[in-house]
Amino acid sequence: MDLEILKKRLEAMPDQMTPAERSEAYACGKEVDYLPFSFPGCGETLASLYGFTVRQYRCDFEIHCHIMEALQQEFGVPVAASAKLGLKGVGEALGSVVLYPENAIDYVERYILTDYSLLPSLEFDPHSNAFLQDKVRHIHKLKKRYGDTVPVGINLGGPLSSAASVRRMELLLRDMRRDPENLHRLLEFVVYCLLAWVGYVKQEFGSVSVGIADPVSSYTLISDKMFRKFSKPYLEKLIKGIFELTGSTPGIHICGRSKPIWKDLAEIGFRSFSVDNCENLEELKESVGDQMQICGNVPPVDVMLRGTPEDVTAAVHDCIRKASDNPEGYVLDVGCQLPIGTPRENIYAYICAAKYYGRKAQKGRLCEGLFTE
C-alpha cells in the first residue's frame, strides 16, 4: 500500500479527543472516539527513519531532541523524558559492563557478580552514582528545553530480569536449584535498587509513571514453579513499593510464553498486562480479562518488520476483534519491542488500522469500527 494513500487515510480520520481525554474517558467506561493504542516504537528503534543511528540517539542530546520532535510532528508522539533502567540498568549502575553498538540493542559484556561473596560490596546510590546521575542530568536538560510539563516515565526490568544484568543468566538458573538462599539475597537487593531509583526520580521530578518488563520471568525460560518461588514474591514487593512511592500501580510486559502464570500476574495486582504475540489474546481475555487491562499483540518481526501494510492492517483488525471487548479494557500494542528497520509504511498502516477498526470503543464491548465500512 502506497505511503501517500496511508497518509490521506489518516487525514480523513481526525481525532475527536485528546489522548488524555480519551484515556480518562475510556478508563471510566465511557465511549471514546477510538480505542487507545500504544505507538509502536521509540526514538531508539526509529532513529533510522530520520537518518540517524541508535548510538547517536543515545549519546547526542541534539539528535535525541531532533528525533523526538520529528516523531511528534510526523506521528503525534508526545515529547517525554525517560528515566529508564530497562533490563540492564541495575547491573550497569552496580558495575556490570554494558556495550552500546552503533546500531543495535545494548548487551552486557561483563557481569559484576561473579561470586556471591561480592554482594555485600555492591552499592546502589542514585545521589552519587555516575551512570544514574547522567540519566538525571539528561531529564533536567529535556525539561529545561521543553518545559516542566514534560512527563517522566520510568521503565524497569523486573527483579529477576534485573538480576540477570548483575549475574550471568545461566548462573541464575543454576542458583535456583543449587544456591537458592543467595539468589533470594540478590533479589532482595535488586528490589531495593529498583525502589531506590523510583523514589529518587519521584523526589527529583514529581509525578512519574512506571512500567515493568520482565522477560526472564517468562515460561519460555523458567517453570511456573520457579516463577512462584523466585519471581512472584519480589514482583509483589516491587509493585507494593511503587504504589507507596507514586500512588499508582504499574503494568507489566513479559516476552515469550506466559500463559501458565497469567493468574499469578492478576493476583500480584498489576494494573495491566502486555502479552507477547506468541500467546492468544482471546485466551488471555477469558482467563484474567475481568481482573486487569490487557495489551498487545501485533507481531513485531513477522508483521511490523517483514510484512506489508496489508499484513499490518489484518493483524491490527485481528487483535481488536479478539480483545476490544475485554471487561477491564484493552490497549492495542505490538507484541514486543519494535525492531530497528521497521518500514515507515507499516507504522502508518498500524495507526490507520487502529483508528479505523477501533472506532467508538468502550470497555467490555467490541469496537464499532469492526462492523462498519
Side-chain angles (χ1 to χ4, degrees):
M1 191 179 301
D2 185 80
L3 178 59
E4 293 306 314
I5 294 175
L6 290 166
K7 289 182 177 180
K8 287 179 181 178
R9 285 189 177 183
L10 266 183
E11 291 172 1
M13 295 185 286
D15 293 358
Q16 304 300 313
M17 310 174 79
T18 67
E21 290 170 341
R22 183 177 305 108
S23 295
E24 182 178 355
Y26 184 75
C28 292
K30 299 177 182 178
E31 182 181 283
V32 295
D33 54 348
Y34 59 78
L35 186 75
F37 65 87
S38 294
F39 181 73
C42 61
E44 275 191 334
T45 57
L46 297 177
S48 61
L49 290 183
Y50 304 104
F52 298 102
T53 67
V54 176
R55 183 193 290 274
Q56 287 175 308
Y57 174 80
R58 292 187 186 120
C59 301
D60 189 308
F61 181 74
E62 291 301 322
I63 291 175
H64 182 100
C65 293
H66 173 82
I67 292 171
M68 286 202 305
E69 291 164 10
L71 288 171
Q72 183 180 48
Q73 182 175 0
E74 183 171 5
F75 298 109
V77 181
V79 170
S82 175
K84 76 172 185 175
L85 287 181
L87 301 177
K88 306 171 191 73
V90 169
E92 187 164 7
L94 293 174
S96 292
V97 177
V98 179
L99 295 187
Y100 294 87
E102 186 66 38
N103 218 26
I105 301 303
D106 52 354
Y107 62 94
V108 181
E109 182 187 49
R110 182 172 61 82
Y111 295 82
I112 188 64
L113 193 64
T114 54
D115 188 278
Y116 278 112
S117 64
L118 300 171
L119 185 57
S121 67
L122 300 183
E123 294 185 7
F124 187 95
D125 184 357
H127 296 84
S128 60
N129 185 278
F131 168 71
L132 300 175
Q133 281 298 307
D134 279 345
K135 292 182 175 294
V136 171
R137 282 191 290 271
H138 179 77
I139 298 171
H140 277 299
K141 288 172 70 176
L142 288 174
K143 283 188 167 288
K144 183 177 180 180
R145 183 168 183 141
Y146 297 111
D148 283 337
T149 58
V150 171
V152 178
I154 306 176
N155 303 106
L156 305 173
L160 199 53
S161 294
S162 294
S165 70
V166 182
R167 184 163 170 82
R168 191 176 296 277
M169 182 66 201
E170 54 264 36
L171 296 180
L172 288 180
L173 294 176
R174 187 192 68 181
D175 295 340
M176 290 181 180
R177 298 190 180 278
R178 297 186 183 179
D179 199 1
E181 183 178 345
N182 274 320
L183 178 53
H184 282 299
R185 289 174 58 221
L186 173 59
L187 291 167
E188 288 281 1
F189 179 60
V190 166
V191 171
Y192 161 80
C193 296
L194 294 169
L195 291 176
W197 179 241
V198 172
Y200 180 74
V201 175
K202 174 69 167 61
Q203 185 178 41
E204 191 79 6
F205 299 106
S207 178
V208 295
S209 61
V210 182
I212 297 171
D214 201 9
V216 179
S217 287
S218 166
Y219 191 69
T220 305
L221 291 176
I222 62 173
S223 69
D224 52 340
K225 179 181 178 180
M226 290 300 186
F227 171 84
R228 293 179 188 115
K229 185 174 182 179
F230 293 105
S231 184
K232 186 175 181 179
Y234 300 100
L235 283 169
E236 289 173 333
K237 290 182 181 183
L238 180 60
I239 71 161
K240 179 182 178 182
I242 290 171
F243 181 79
E244 290 172 352
L245 289 166
T246 69
S248 61
T249 302
I252 190 170
H253 171 73
I254 294 181
C255 306
R257 295 177 60 204
S258 56
K259 185 176 179 179
I261 61 170
W262 286 348
K263 292 189 183 298
D264 294 281
L265 296 175
E267 288 173 5
I268 290 170
F270 285 106
R271 173 181 54 83
S272 63
F273 174 45
S274 168
V275 68
D276 194 297
N277 51 281
C278 66
E279 298 287 17
N280 188 293
L281 277 175
E282 251 175 340
E283 292 181 2
L284 177 63
K285 176 183 69 178
E286 292 165 3
S287 175
V288 294
D290 60 343
Q291 299 174 71
M292 63 200 309
Q293 184 184 80
I294 61 176
C295 312
N297 63 351
V298 175
V301 177
D302 291 343
V303 173
M304 294 300 298
L305 177 65
R306 298 174 181 164
T308 65
E310 290 79 9
D311 295 329
V312 175
T313 298
V316 170
H317 179 278
D318 186 56
C319 288
I320 294 175
R321 178 187 60 80
K322 287 179 176 177
S324 62
D325 59 346
N326 189 59
E328 285 299 309
Y330 168 65
V331 174
L332 177 74
D333 202 351
V334 289
C336 200
Q337 180 168 291
L338 194 74
I340 296 167
T342 296
R344 183 179 251 107
E345 293 88 340
N346 285 356
I347 297 170
Y348 273 100
Y350 172 95
I351 297 171
C352 285
K355 290 187 175 184
Y356 185 81
Y357 294 118
R359 284 172 295 161
K360 294 188 177 181
Q362 188 174 16
K363 281 200 299 187
R365 76 176 197 201
L366 291 174
C367 298
E368 291 188 20
L370 293 167
F371 308 105
T372 57
E373 295 297 332

